[in-house]
Amino acid sequence: MTARTAPPAPTGRALTPSRTAATAARVLRQLHHDPRTIALLLIVPVAMITLLRYVFDGAPGTFDAIGASLLGVFPLITMFLVTSIATLRERTSGTLERLLALPLGKGDLIAGYALAFGAIAVVQSALATAVSVWLLGLDVTGSPWLLLLVALLGTALGLFVSAFAASEFQAVQFMPAVIFPQLLLCGLFIPRDRMHPVLEAISDVLPMSYAVDGMNEVLHHSDLTGAFLRDIAVVAGSALLVLCLGAITLRRRTP
């Protein structure tokens, strides 16, 4: 009698909501037991925006002009660091290899991380926005809660970079390459149309430029504008693109 062949084990490559949710829940449980990381994520952006407010204590108009933009920049930087290092640690410790041996695809893993850290990013931005608007007196014409939409970009960039970094030190080294050029060219320090034409053209393809433009739209307009919707669409599209690229290029472990 011929033995019946067992069906092949599921590969787990399809994106499954239950697996994604389980991954997100696991990441959030890990963060719950790491108070220093929670402090970094929630307190540092608030501390930085508070410091900035009193740096410009004699010129409150300057704080109003750049404060809204920095509400997107500060959380982006911290989320970039934390997500890239956390994902890389999973790979170097062998956790990622064990997880991907289960019916868990790369898409499930990246989406779960994005969901968990995205929720943290929303809390982080809500806290920074509330402190800025109601305690520090940031004057925002539009709804301040629209500023929350930009913070997720840092999560996506961090997850993308973690696929290429070979060590935690290298993940930190990616910041000058990925974040700092965008910080200089996003229009935070000088309007982009006043830059050298080559730099202006480069800034037109950087997602942080649209994040800052979207913040400025909220700062100066009480209603949703077409420019704001365009900026948010570009930021969301960029985040989705780098998450997909991160899932495609993610390795099981660091060689």
Side-chain angles (χ1 to χ4, degrees), residues 77-123:
I77 293 173
T78 56
M79 294 306 298
F80 175 89
L81 280 174
V82 171
T83 53
S84 58
I85 291 175
T87 311
L88 180 64
R89 187 173 296 174
E90 295 265 79
R91 197 167 75 240
T92 56
S93 66
T95 301
L96 179 60
E97 186 176 14
R98 293 191 295 271
L99 288 172
L100 292 180
L102 301 172
L104 179 73
K106 294 179 180 180
D108 294 316
L109 187 73
I110 291 293
Y113 265 89
L115 185 62
F117 283 109
I120 297 294
V122 170
V123 175

